[in-house]
Each structure stands twice: as structure tokens, then as C-alpha cells.
Amino acid sequence: MATTDLIDLAVETSKNAYVPYSHFPIGAVLVAKDGRLFTGVNVENASFGLTNCGERTAIFKAVSEGALEFEELIVYGQTEKPISPCGACRQVMAEFFDKDLKVTLVAKDKSTVVMTVGELLPYSFTDLK
Ligand code: THU
């Protein structure tokens, strides 16, 4: 799927966000190497710390469906500048993605910044060695 279509899908996906507390919907689309698409939204909770971000929802959906090899990730948020993923999501990306995996960050006007996982989380902790 072309990047513009993936961005449109991320925007559409964000409409499913469960955000009664922040009113800040996020939509993520994770493309697996086998062609499958995994979407994710942020899912909030009255106990705020239990909130799961859109990026992690997409990654956890993919892993639980047996996908472990990925092509790219698109993340949309209603921000002025392209959305900046939180530290927890960057750490989860580092667990499952190659350092050179392409992450397209999208703002509310659909402007983008493209970064790699290595750029998002340099010198990351990835294993116990
Ligand atoms: N959030 C995401 O889902 N992804 C991001 O990249 C940034 C923040 C969510 C968490 C919470 O539901 C809301 O946005 C406000 O922080």
C-alpha cells in the first residue's frame, strides 16, 4: 500500500481511539513483511497509568497474531508537528523492529517526518547481554 494510503488508514483508525480522558486520538498502522496490516489506537483507563498507546496496541496485536517481521510503522496524531512517540513505545519498537525500520510520524495536517527506530531510540537497551 502506498504511504499516502497508509496515512489515510492511520487517520481512519484513530477514530476508534478510546480517549474519554485526554480526547487525544492516535491511530497507528503497522505493516508486516508478509503484507498484513495491524492497526492500533490508544486505549485509556480511569486509572490513567494503564493507558496503552496506539503504537503499542498495533505492535501487540501483530505479535499476538504471529507476526514478528515488519516493514514500516505509521503513526497519526492531531498535533501541529508530526506526533512524537512516547519513550515506552520507543522501547517496545526497539524490541520488535530492526533499527532501520521506517517510522512515518504524521501531524493533523498530514505533514510527516520519517525517522528510523534507531533515530527514535539511540543506544537502546535491547537484551541482557
Ligand atoms: N499517546 C499515544 O497513543 N501515542 C503517542 O505517540 C503519544 C501519546 C496517547 C496516550 C494517551 O492516551 C494520549 O495519547 C495522551 O497522552
Side-chain angles (χ1 to χ4, degrees):
M1 198 182 272
T3 304
T4 50
D5 294 329
L6 291 169
I7 289 171
D8 287 343
L9 180 58
V11 173
E12 197 58 30
T13 294
S14 73
K15 294 176 185 166
N16 293 330
Y18 178 76
V19 288
Y21 306 104
S22 73
H23 305 285
F24 185 68
I26 297 289
V29 180
L30 178 57
V31 183
K33 282 199 169 148
D34 63 12
R36 282 186 287 170
L37 299 179
F38 297 94
T39 58
V41 297
N42 45 340
V43 182
E44 299 185 341
N45 193 280
S47 177
F48 298 158
L50 299 181
T51 292
N52 205 69
C53 293
E55 296 91 320
R56 277 177 289 144
T57 300
I59 295 167
F60 294 155
K61 280 174 68 180
V63 172
S64 65
E65 296 293 326
L68 280 172
E69 292 188 78
F70 303 108
E71 201 79 53
E72 65 174 309
L73 175 70
I74 292 85
V75 189
Y76 164 79
Q78 293 177 2
T79 39
E80 298 295 325
K81 292 181 186 165
I83 185 76
S84 176
C86 80
C89 288
R90 292 174 197 224
Q91 181 66 33
V92 172
M93 289 179 206
E95 180 74 26
F96 293 108
F97 299 164
D98 292 338
K99 282 195 184 327
D100 63 356
L101 184 134
K102 176 181 160 188
V103 183
T104 301
L105 306 167
V106 187
K108 69 176 175 192
D109 66 357
K110 294 194 187 173
S111 60
T112 61
V113 163
V114 177
M115 297 183 75
T116 65
V117 169
E119 288 169 334
L120 283 166
L121 189 64
Y123 195 57
S124 62
F125 178 66
T126 47
D127 60 35
L128 300 175
K129 282 170 256 158

